[in-house]
Amino acid sequence: MTEFFKDLNRLSYDPDSTDLAFRHYNPDEVVAGKRMEDHLRFAVAYWHSFAWPGGDPFGGPTFDRPWFDESMQSARLKADVAFEMFDLLNVPFFCWHDADIRPEGDTFAESLRNFQEMVDYLGTKMEASKTKLLWGTANLFSHRRFMAGAATNPDPEIFAWSAATVKNCMDATHKLGGQNYVLWGGREGYETLLNTDLRRERQQAGRFLQMAVEYKHKIGFKGAILVEPKPQEPSKHQYDYDVATVYGFLKEFGLEGEVQMNIEQGHAILAGHSFEHELALAASLGILGSIDMNRNDYQSGWDTDQFPNNVPEVALAYYEVLKAGGFTTGGTNFDAKLRRQSLDPVDLIAGHAGAMDVCARGLKAAAAMLEDGTLEAMRAERYAGWDSAEGKALLDSDFATIAAQVESGGTPPEPRSGRQEILENIVNRFV
Ligand code: XUL
Ligand code: CO
């Protein structure tokens, strides 16, 4: 045991607790026919919890962690502490970027050696733990070499470096039994069109993603490849803007059926959507893979990556997830960081525990709304006309035939109420 969480005990489910405990998240409780743990599939993000030092544009690190130096010994200590936290929280999954788990070397080969050694170290930790790998990914955005993008870089050497990095991260994810591999286009976009060949950059990104898919099949990785859309930040404009944009991109490069989405709440908001919009659209396109359940501050207008704390919002998100049949390889990753004044180890535990409780409440509310059935019945009723023989025939018809029917028809159709307030009142009964 390390000293880091020394005064803290494993959290249990205790609805009446006024101390650190789960008041709503009860892993074994069956909700809509499945254990809560198996529905929610929580994951801790290694980067924000253990690698992020607490800086912001106006100030440097605020967190003082004993592993904050670029040594292998510290990387191992970080892993030890991480697995202690996974155990305290009893989480089934975690996620990493290569750069979170290993110190950067002077050469690619040295970074790779560090990485592979740490992957083996994580493998050993995983053998003694219940916590599995939800996804691995590559950090192709922090180092200055990626300042103009990775796959979309104007410099082919950076494309090559990025391809080699993703190849090794996919190997490691496969080795650790990861259930998905994520690509978030960190700086795959531009700062100004004045220096950007947008057509060329999109072609590069498309070929890069094809190569990732080809490599997945080559090594027999059975997990899902997930793209995580985000409209901007760090780049002014990012090519993977939102679910609809990425779907068009997948179609263009023949990758539909190969790639699904990892949808983040805060990114949806930055794109001018609601989270449930992005989830519903992905579900309707058959590409809903996994979620990053972290919100933004609505006043800041940027990606503040906060733990979720709004049950009604979360309930509407899980409503879409449940309607889509729930997660298969995906799960609920907390891509969330503490506020930079939250200095203590206990803050890390409280952030995650509170988020898990909020998600549990959201899931239960969503399941209850589905079980009640009123919302779905009212939706079905609204579209019932399309299930009639006339409705079905309409879509097989053509403008001229339809016009002839309408022109010879009788009274004009009457509009019907959309019942939004009534529907919102129904939701409020459950949240
Ligand atoms: C950045 C973000 C990333 C991805 C993984 O906004 O969400 O942490 O989830 O690279
Ligand atoms: Co994310």
Side-chain angles (χ1 to χ4, degrees), residues 47 97 135 137 141 184 228 230 264 267 292 303 335:
W47 50 103
H97 301 82
W135 46 266
T137 190
F141 45 90
W184 168 59
E228 183 174 325
K230 186 173 182 182
E264 178 166 320
H267 298 180
D292 276 6
D303 191 8
D335 189 359

Side-chain angles (χ1 to χ4, degrees), residues 170-171 174 178 213-223:
M170 289 179 76
D171 285 339
H174 187 33
V213 168
E214 286 162 13
Y215 193 66
K216 162 192 157 149
H217 292 302
K218 182 171 174 178
I219 61 175
F221 176 59
K222 297 283 174 261

